[in-house]
Amino acid sequence: MPQIGAEVAGFLLAVIAGGVARLLYQSLVCFRELVRHSYLAMGIEDILYWMGTAVYFFVQIYHTSSGGIRWSFLLGCVGGAAFASFLIKKIEKIGKKIYMRKQNKFSENLAGKKKRS
């Protein structure tokens, strides 16, 4: 029975690893939106990201399953990345709603001040 617990723990660590990789890539995308740069620079960033991600996954596989690649680890990574993508979309949607409400209130206040003048 303790081996099942170890497998579940390894799967959860894989889910976290996939989520971390997805969140790091999303932060790279956000950085690209803030600071515009050339396609060459974006290519270099992507290569560095994927090399770092490969090393990160290698270390995670080594620690969780003694270096053996298991389907549970791969499925956990994909599931974690998918869950992180889902969370990112929900957070963006909520952020846009909040932003639009504030914009509408600002517009209404501005329109009310113009009518009074």
Side-chain angles (χ1 to χ4, degrees):
M1 196 59 115
Q3 290 182 348
I4 293 174
E7 290 293 325
V8 170
F11 179 76
L12 291 176
L13 286 172
V15 169
I16 291 170
V20 166
R22 177 64 178 102
L23 291 174
L24 285 175
Y25 192 76
Q26 184 64 31
S27 64
L28 181 63
V29 170
C30 288
F31 174 71
R32 288 179 181 169
E33 289 179 6
L34 291 174
V35 180
R36 300 282 179 188
H37 40 282
S38 68
Y39 288 118
L40 177 65
M42 287 193 301
I44 292 170
E45 287 173 354
D46 276 341
I47 289 171
L48 291 175
Y49 169 78
W50 285 112
M51 287 172 51
T53 302
V55 169
Y56 175 68
F57 279 134
F58 175 78
V59 170
Q60 291 300 318
I61 289 171
Y62 184 77
H63 286 296
T64 58
S65 59
S66 301
I69 298 177
R70 297 189 175 150
W71 282 106
S72 62
F73 189 86
L74 294 174
L75 291 174
C77 288
V78 170
F83 183 69
S85 293
F86 172 76
L87 285 179
I88 289 167
K89 296 288 183 194
K90 288 293 181 184
I91 291 170
E92 284 178 350
K93 195 174 190 182
I94 291 169
K96 285 180 182 178
K97 282 184 181 180
I98 291 171
Y99 178 76
M100 291 307 293
R101 283 185 185 166
K102 289 191 178 204
Q103 285 292 343
N104 289 339
K105 285 182 182 179
F106 179 74
S107 309
E108 290 170 2
N109 289 339
L110 190 61
K113 287 180 182 178
K114 285 185 179 180
K115 287 181 183 178
R116 290 181 200 158
S117 299

